Amino acid sequence: MTSRIKANRAIEIFALLLALVWTSAATAVVPGIEGTVTVGGGAGGNDLRAFQLWARPGYIVTGEGNTVYMWGYAQGIATPMNHPGPNLIAQVGEEIRVTLTNQLGAGVDTSMVFPGHVVDASGGTPGFMTNEAANGGNVTYTFTATHPGTYTYYSGTDTSLQTEMGLFGTIVVYPAAGQPSGGGTSGQAYDVDNSTFDFEYLYVLSEIDDAIHNMVENGLAAEVNMNERKPRYWLINGRTGPDTLFPTGAPYLPNQPNGSLSRTCVNHDVLMRVVGAGHDPHPFHTHGQNFRVIARDGRPRVSSAVSPVSDVGISDFTLTVNPGQTYDAIWTWKGENLGWDIYGHEPDPVTYPLPPHLPPLEANEDPADHGKPLPVLLPEDQFLTFGGFWSGSPFLGQDGTLPVGEGGLNPHGGMYYMWHSHTEFELINFDIFPGGMLTMMAVEGPGVDIDGTVCP
Amino acid sequence: MKTLKLTTLILLSTFVASAGFAQVASYSLVAHQSTKTMQDGAVVNMWGYYDATGAAPASWTTGPELHVPATASTLEVTLTNNLSEPTSLFIPGLAPEVIAGVAGEPVYSTSGSGIGRVHSFTHETAPGATETYRWHNVTPGTYLYQSGTNPSKQLQMGLYGAMYHDANDVNPGTGSAVDGAEIYPGHTYHQQVALLFSEVDPVINAAISADDYGFGNTVTSSIGRTPKYYLINGEEYDPLNPTAIGTEAGPLVLLRFLNAGYQTYVPVIQDLYMNIIGDDGNELPHPRVQYSIEVPAGKTHDAIVAIPCELADRNVVLHDRRGHIRNQIADDPGTTSVVETEEADGGMTVTFQIPIDTACDNCADLSNPTQTDVDADGFGNLCDADLSGDLMTNFGDLGLFIDAFVNQSNPAADFNSDGVVNFGDLGVMATGFGSPPGPSLAVY
């Protein structure tokens, strides 16, 4: 049943929750599970990393207050199922072993496939694509993570229906010494020099036609017609907007642990790991800056096999994300060429007697714009309408006065950019805006702590 | 050169060589009404092309595959129109021969409000008539040929087929067509497979076939088209009919992707990566290494897959990851309740079957007939001085080699397999120093 909440009330509730639970939102390293490592336990003497997943039904929550019956993957026999499935974190060269136990219910077989890897399956019964587990049974998949990169897994049984129901997830393989080791450390995505990053974020794009889920929930799966599918929800990391902005691990979204609110500092490199997981293409659009694609499907975009950098990736601001495909891109906001000083530096001859009477440059500030005034006169408050992310000041890291009750979603005065599917009707939840496939990237000012990285 | 595809026929082209002019590849086709019986028993109305030198096939297929030999640069197709409305032939990406007032120019119709609208991209063949279409300067690549007339109506009826032209019709290494061919200069393949994607809405096709389509008719347009059948090479998936690959003179398989449908498909192949080298008949400056490929409507792509030894005796599945893999298997049009059940694992799916003895060589550039690989890492000894296993031959490996040289304790350092670790092996290491081991077709 759908309970429709008026848009402005939704913003009020949203702002209250955000103010209460504001820490960092999506963590600055990709969320995931690391399984169990047995040193030297692999067939080739390499390390063995084992994961156990349970395919199980559950419910997710949508931004306008609906719940949808899903099939997801749980990390434990009694823990909530996750949608999408957990991100599996591994190191290059390891042997990966995934044991899947099927708890989807009577008559439903399931399996997992891992494009980009050569997989050996044991247990279960041979199915069309790989070995499948009957309800209550299990099957084990083994492969070697030969190359670093961003990968996906999904059900290889009745793939069209089972991926619609939610059975997909991701794998991140780090190169040697590539995984960030905690707050404030950088990482590397591939064995190419320009794949280093200060922050990394995962964006898994999908859709839901909840009518199909209702049919499956009520035992009518045999009557589902996938060729007449019409999605009503669009999701990033298993959440509709604006739930995408709530923290990773939010306790009120137990089956949808991964947020996608992203934060960075000026001139810091953000690694975008973007994965298509549903059935439809989406033009993923980054405001604020172009990104540079450095890899596709877990392989760097290089002009030759010995190229030390990814030298033939495109620079763009819209990424066509197709189901099954993965994309790695680097996004770096430099605040260059804006024509005005983003810190609001003004001449102060008393404090700075020497011309041009300006305070020193901030770290990573564009010298060409130092001290240049904002080229417009901001209207007074009574002539403005307000979005929740307006801090009251146009300057990075600062806020200003706001009418009572306005703002509140931008406590550090950052520059907020909406990252979203540019298919505009995908920004709704069951016809209610805002929602759907949208999230935010915030560029924070000096002194802000992002998961242990303090912006200079 | 051998080709393997699911159903289409190869035409023998009529080859015309004129002194002083480039050679011409000539074909003659007939456009006709036909039907196809789907796996659920439904009989669907289709329009298709068949080879004019033979009889009309009993059942609709995608148009005959046209091959423009490497020594030709002109394609000429004579079309006989057995439909009851005008049609034409059009190849996206190739400019037609233009003869003013005669050929290659768009044809306009006039709407009810007196506005001229393009009805055909090129000259039309009237019902019952025969016309000739030519394209000069055909460059290497894979191309769709299709109706160029009212394509939103005619294309979905099935008026499409594949055409290809290679830079070299023989394997440049051996000079023999038995050993494969070369699509673009420098891109050799041993076997090719065409994958032509399309979809069918039987309701619209029936209306078009009955001349009950358009303004004032039962089906007014193709808006709201809801396909029920998703096809590759004009066929639904048949699990009893896998496509054998890796059986030819070598492990390089060229996949020619074409989309004659009206929407995007995203084929994903398991266990393998593709080197995507061609886009709409343009050679890409750098191969794109992906296991997936976006194929929008009208697109063609060329991708080469190297079958590695470790996949011998395995099946590899390719399917549309957008999920068009469930075709209708039952329909009950006689009742008011619409229950259309579908089969799982069908539609746009291909199973590639790799034989047990697929060609593989663990030092692909060197002669190592014994394929000795002491450390069993997939790189034969003769091209594997990477003793540390970090996929690079460098000073770390030199240190290990010196240790093996002194102690004669590590047979993996006997690169030339002569029973001893000595200066002969040092020479092998020197050759590969600073490079990764291999190349090996046994390593994925």
Side-chain angles (χ1 to χ4, degrees):
Chain A
M1 184 177 82
T2 307
S3 61
R4 295 189 166 228
I5 302 177
K6 288 182 190 160
N8 55 356
R9 174 118 179 94
I11 293 292
E12 286 173 17
I13 294 172
F14 167 67
L16 178 67
L17 283 170
L18 202 59
L20 287 175
V21 301
W22 186 269
T23 50
S24 60
T27 54
V29 298
V30 288
I33 58 175
E34 302 201 47
T36 309
V37 177
T38 306
V39 175
N46 47 353
D47 292 346
L48 170 70
R49 186 178 294 266
F51 298 92
Q52 286 194 288
L53 296 174
W54 283 258
R56 185 185 309 148
Y59 291 87
I60 64 165
V61 177
T62 59
E64 90 293 12
N66 201 1
T67 57
V68 183
Y69 176 81
M70 305 292 295
W71 289 347
Y73 296 102
Q75 300 174 35
I77 198 165
T79 56
M81 72 83 169
N82 291 154
H83 174 67
N87 179 38
L88 309 180
I89 295 175
Q91 309 298 324
V92 71
E94 291 177 337
E95 180 174 304
I96 310 299
R97 179 182 301 165
V98 181
T99 301
L100 173 69
T101 303
N102 179 3
Q103 298 180 314
L104 291 174
V108 182
D109 298 341
T110 193
S111 62
M112 295 172 75
V113 291
F114 305 85
H117 297 98
V118 179
V119 182
D120 292 312
S122 64
T125 54
F128 163 66
M129 290 187 74
T130 184
N131 287 20
E132 302 176 333
N135 183 42
N138 57 58
V139 60
T140 299
Y141 305 100
T142 308
F143 56 92
T144 303
T146 54
H147 293 72
T150 304
Y151 301 91
T152 178
Y153 61 82
Y154 54 90
S155 170
T157 304
D158 196 4
T159 300
S160 184
L161 177 63
Q162 295 205 358
T163 53
E164 164 65 40
M165 293 304 296
L167 289 177
F168 51 78
T170 54
I171 306 170
V172 167
V173 179
Y174 289 100
Q179 181 175 7
S181 56
T185 61
S186 59
Q188 186 160 346
Y190 291 90
D191 291 321
V192 289
D193 296 338
N194 57 346
S195 68
T196 55
F197 56 86
D198 299 299
F199 305 101
E200 57 173 338
Y201 298 103
L202 184 62
Y203 307 93
V204 180
L205 308 186
S206 63
E207 329 82 27
I208 287 174
D209 176 349
D210 58 300
I212 290 174
H213 295 240
N214 284 338
M215 291 177 72
V216 173
E217 185 180 7
N218 289 292
L220 298 174
E223 294 180 27
V224 168
N225 186 344
M226 290 300 296
N227 292 327
E228 292 181 3
R229 173 181 174 272
K230 217 163 175 64
R232 280 203 284 237
Y233 294 104
W234 292 269
L235 303 97
I236 302 177
N237 294 346
R239 295 182 185 174
T240 63
D243 299 348
T244 48
L245 305 177
F246 289 158
T248 289
Y252 43 87
L253 294 169
N255 294 341
Q256 301 152 275
N258 296 343
S260 53
L261 174 55
S262 314
R263 304 166 75 204
T264 186
C265 313
V266 178
N267 205 33
H268 280 52
D269 296 322
V270 174
L271 172 67
M272 304 162 52
R273 299 185 189 265
V274 190
V275 177
H279 286 225
D280 297 326
H282 303 285
F284 194 59
H285 180 69
T286 60
H287 284 261
Q289 185 72 45
N290 274 23
F291 51 79
R292 174 168 291 281
V293 174
I294 58 167
R296 295 285 307 275
D297 288 355
R299 294 293 184 273
R301 290 288 295 125
V302 291
S303 59
S304 79
V306 295
S307 176
V309 294
S310 165
D311 53 345
V312 291
I314 57 161
S315 170
D316 209 335
F317 51 76
T318 304
L319 188 63
T320 304
V321 181
N322 288 300
Q325 302 196 303
T326 78
Y327 314 75
D328 295 284
I330 301 288
W331 187 90
T332 309
W333 193 88
K334 298 196 174 177
E336 293 174 327
N337 304 320
L338 293 173
W340 51 279
D341 187 318
I342 62 173
Y343 300 96
H345 298 127
E346 289 177 343
D348 180 359
V350 173
T351 314
Y352 307 102
L354 294 175
H357 310 298
L358 290 170
L361 285 169
E362 306 286 338
N364 300 315
E365 181 179 354
D366 180 6
D369 288 336
H370 190 49
K372 285 186 184 169
L374 193 70
V376 297
L377 192 63
L378 283 178
E380 310 230 355
D381 283 353
Q382 63 263 36
F383 300 116
L384 296 175
T385 58
F386 298 89
F389 295 98
W390 171 239
S391 68
S393 163
F395 301 118
L396 182 64
Q398 301 174 37
D399 53 28
T401 54
L402 289 166
V404 171
E406 299 291 355
L409 302 182
N410 183 359
H412 302 292
M415 304 278 192
Y416 271 73
Y417 297 101
M418 188 163 85
W419 284 14
H420 64 106
S421 166
H422 215 292
T423 304
E424 301 283 2
F425 70 72
E426 297 180 351
L427 303 184
I428 54 174
N429 302 324
F430 211 132
D431 214 24
I432 294 178
F433 176 85
M437 196 174 281
L438 61 78
T439 187
M440 291 287 186
M441 165 59 78
V443 180
E444 301 282 18
V448 177
D449 184 337
I450 303 175
D451 269 350
T453 298
V454 178
C455 291
Chain B
M1 164 187 53
K2 295 189 186 170
T3 60
L4 284 171
K5 52 199 64 63
L6 295 178
T7 57
T8 55
L9 308 167
I10 300 178
L11 290 188
L12 295 174
S13 69
T14 307
F15 214 57
V16 176
S18 311
F21 291 90
Q23 292 177 320
V24 176
S26 294
Y27 293 93
S28 52
L29 300 176
V30 179
H32 74 138
Q33 295 215 38
S34 185
T35 60
K36 182 172 175 66
T37 303
M38 312 307 287
Q39 288 177 0
D40 66 350
V43 178
V44 180
N45 300 100
M46 306 292 293
W47 292 352
Y49 301 114
Y50 69 90
D51 175 11
T53 66
S59 181
W60 173 85
T61 63
T62 54
E65 189 169 277
L66 308 182
H67 175 213
V68 177
T71 48
S73 60
T74 293
L75 171 66
E76 175 185 272
V77 183
T78 304
L79 177 67
T80 299
N81 181 6
N82 284 355
L83 304 169
S84 53
E85 64 182 59
T87 191
S88 60
L89 273 181
F90 172 73
I91 299 180
L94 295 181
E97 172 187 75
V98 176
I99 302 171
V102 173
E105 295 173 316
V107 175
Y108 296 84
S109 62
T110 305
S111 74
S113 48
I115 299 172
R117 301 184 189 278
V118 174
H119 188 255
S120 293
F121 298 136
T122 186
H123 61 282
E124 295 177 345
T125 306
T130 298
E131 300 290 345
T132 300
Y133 297 85
R134 288 189 196 85
W135 298 265
H136 301 294
N137 303 313
V138 177
T139 54
T142 302
Y143 300 89
L144 262 174
Y145 71 87
Q146 59 177 73
S147 167
T149 300
N150 200 354
S152 72
K153 173 185 180 183
Q154 291 198 359
L155 198 57
Q156 63 191 315
M157 292 302 293
L159 290 171
Y160 43 77
M163 182 273 279
Y164 73 94
H165 173 65
D166 285 343
N168 198 336
D169 285 338
V170 301
N171 184 316
T174 65
S176 167
V178 173
D179 297 326
E182 191 181 43
I183 173 174
Y184 303 105
H187 292 291
T188 302
Y189 65 91
H190 301 115
Q191 177 186 353
Q192 61 172 321
V193 178
L195 298 170
L196 195 160
F197 291 73
S198 63
E199 71 283 323
V200 177
D201 178 337
V203 173
I204 291 183
N205 278 31
I208 292 173
S209 179
D211 201 17
D212 186 18
Y213 176 91
F215 180 76
N217 291 295
T218 306
V219 176
T220 55
S221 77
S222 294
I223 293 172
R225 182 169 179 260
T226 307
K228 290 186 170 33
Y229 306 102
Y230 291 87
L231 312 173
I232 296 181
N233 296 337
E235 297 292 344
E236 298 169 276
Y237 175 64
D238 179 0
L240 299 178
N241 201 12
T243 300
I245 60 171
T247 56
E248 303 302 315
L252 300 175
V253 181
L254 170 66
L255 302 177
R256 299 185 192 264
F257 292 94
L258 308 98
N259 187 351
Y262 289 12
Q263 59 178 299
T264 297
Y265 299 105
V266 184
V268 166
I269 192 166
Q270 306 293 325
D271 303 309
L272 283 170
Y273 273 84
M274 297 181 277
N275 289 282
I276 302 167
I277 55 165
D279 185 327
D280 288 344
N282 297 302
E283 180 187 354
L284 293 177
H286 309 287
R288 298 188 184 142
V289 182
Q290 300 175 191
Y291 59 72
S292 62
I293 185 166
E294 176 191 66
V295 192
K299 172 68 66 179
T300 77
H301 274 302
D302 306 296
I304 293 184
V305 172
I307 311 294
C309 302
E310 63 186 316
L311 290 185
D313 198 27
R314 286 176 70 132
N315 286 353
V316 166
V317 173
L318 174 147
H319 68 178
D320 170 42
R321 179 60 179 83
R322 288 199 64 203
H324 298 101
I325 56 175
R326 291 171 61 117
N327 281 356
Q328 182 173 302
I329 57 172
D331 187 24
D332 199 359
T335 69
T336 54
S337 70
V338 180
V339 174
E340 294 175 340
T341 58
E342 302 163 299
E343 62 174 312
D345 310 328
M348 289 173 162
T349 304
V350 178
T351 297
F352 291 114
Q353 191 175 60
I354 300 172
I356 195 166
D357 59 349
T358 191
C360 60
D361 181 352
N362 63 11
C363 281
D365 290 351
L366 301 171
S367 171
N368 65 330
T370 61
Q371 297 276 293
T372 303
D373 178 13
V374 169
D375 59 8
D377 62 356
F379 299 106
N381 271 31
L382 191 60
C383 60
D384 182 14
D386 172 30
L387 294 170
S388 66
D390 67 351
L391 297 181
M392 184 60 71
T393 304
N394 50 22
F395 286 100
D397 304 302
L398 182 61
L400 293 170
F401 178 81
I402 291 170
D403 188 61
F405 189 99
V406 170
N407 296 316
Q408 293 295 313
S409 59
N410 185 359
D414 177 18
F415 304 129
N416 57 18
S417 299
D418 65 355
V420 64
V421 179
N422 56 13
F423 286 101
D425 303 300
L426 183 62
V428 173
M429 170 171 265
T431 303
F433 203 81
S435 301
S440 166
L441 299 177
V443 172
Y444 172 67

